[in-house]
Amino acid sequence: ESRWPYLFGMIIVPSLIQVVVLPFLPESPRYLLLEKHDTSKAEKAFQTFLGKEDVSHEVEEVLSESRVQRNTRLVSVLQLLRTRAARWQVITVVVTMGCYQLCGLNAV
């Protein structure tokens, strides 16, 4: 029982390793390309991850996925329930999650 503080203190070791190593890891290419709009750093990150020089196909793929995501429209829950094809799936998920919350499993 007297060693419990040492056990809880052991979490410091992985945290320190992460703090030391994290600055040397490359950023996510997708983040650099879509959020920071920095194509050259994104290409360097892709080259680091994939180990090849020509990464234009991957950059173009990320940009096309971004365009597709921008063109998707969001629907509300009410619109989702009005759609006949998705109504039963939504009701099933809502009932399942409601039962999960009420059964007390989270308390265990």
Side-chain angles (χ1 to χ4, degrees):
E1 288 182 17
S2 65
R3 294 185 189 143
W4 275 101
Y6 298 116
L7 182 63
F8 286 126
M10 289 301 291
I11 200 160
I12 292 172
V13 174
S15 302
L16 288 176
I17 292 171
Q18 184 176 9
V19 166
V20 170
V21 172
L22 201 57
F24 300 106
L25 296 176
E27 288 281 350
S28 164
R30 187 177 180 90
Y31 170 77
L32 289 170
L33 193 59
L34 299 179
E35 300 295 325
K36 295 283 190 172
H37 305 290
D38 193 349
T39 309
S40 62
K41 283 188 179 178
E43 286 177 353
K44 281 184 182 178
F46 268 126
Q47 289 169 352
T48 302
F49 285 128
L50 300 176
K52 61 183 184 178
E53 289 296 318
D54 185 26
V55 291
S56 59
H57 177 71
E58 285 78 9
V59 170
E60 198 52 45
E61 187 177 320
V62 168
L63 289 174
S64 67
E65 283 179 22
S66 173
R67 277 185 240 117
V68 168
Q69 283 181 346
R70 270 189 256 127
N71 291 336
T72 20
R73 68 180 183 98
L74 300 174
V75 294
S76 69
V77 175
L78 192 57
Q79 290 171 331
L80 201 56
L81 288 173
R82 286 183 184 152
T83 305
R84 189 173 194 82
R87 184 179 305 141
W88 283 111
Q89 287 87 348
V90 172
I91 290 173
T92 303
V93 168
V94 168
V95 169
T96 303
M97 288 294 115
C99 291
Y100 180 74
Q101 291 297 320
L102 295 174
C103 76
L105 188 61
N106 290 339
V108 173

